[in-house]
Amino acid sequence: MSSLAVCKSEFCNAGWAEVLTHMSPYGWANFGVAFALGLSVVGAAWGIWLTGSSLVGAAVKAPRIDPKNLISVIFCEATAIYGVIMAIILTNKIKEPEDASDFLASGWDYHGYYYAGYGMFSAGLSVGLTNIASGVSVGIAGSSCAIADAQDASLFVKILIVEIFASALGIFGIIVGIIQSNACNFPIAALSS
């Protein structure tokens, strides 16, 4: 006899496909907002941790590097700001239906409804993951910049250029997120028949 109980009720969970397709598009959209903001802050924190620890360590050898190497921390913080910008854009796209009730009216645009939710989720996830990569790469470049600057002051500007390119990853991510979310508009009323 099998130790697994088989549910035969109409309320059984048929698997992850059922769970993911029956979740509200508002839930998907709000998860997109959360991922854009949360993962961007994680990327910024990770970058600041990498840069800050090297900056403090290198400043022991050469105290002159402290003021100008703080630009690396600012570049890391920019990734969190990109997430805040995307979260604001996505939040402004979430619209409540005109007839707020437990059930949607007949003739509702379910395809547009789910498209908006899934699209906003993917836009938020894209921005969040890109900003993690950007924050870590800016942090590593900033760490290298601080250590190199402590050894030779002429290397600061050269490595700062690499750091700028690493920061551009976050800008590319927010551009992609804006493009992804452009067509995501929640319907607010049923389609006219």
Side-chain angles (χ1 to χ4, degrees), residues 96-101 108 187-190:
E96 185 179 352
E98 289 175 350
D99 289 337
S101 65
W108 191 259
I188 57 171

Side-chain angles (χ1 to χ4, degrees), residues 114-141:
Y114 276 92
Y115 180 85
Y118 291 147
M120 290 175 65
F121 174 77
S122 68
L125 189 61
S126 297
V127 170
L129 291 175
T130 304
N131 283 333
I132 282 184
S134 176
V136 170
S137 62
V138 169
I140 291 171

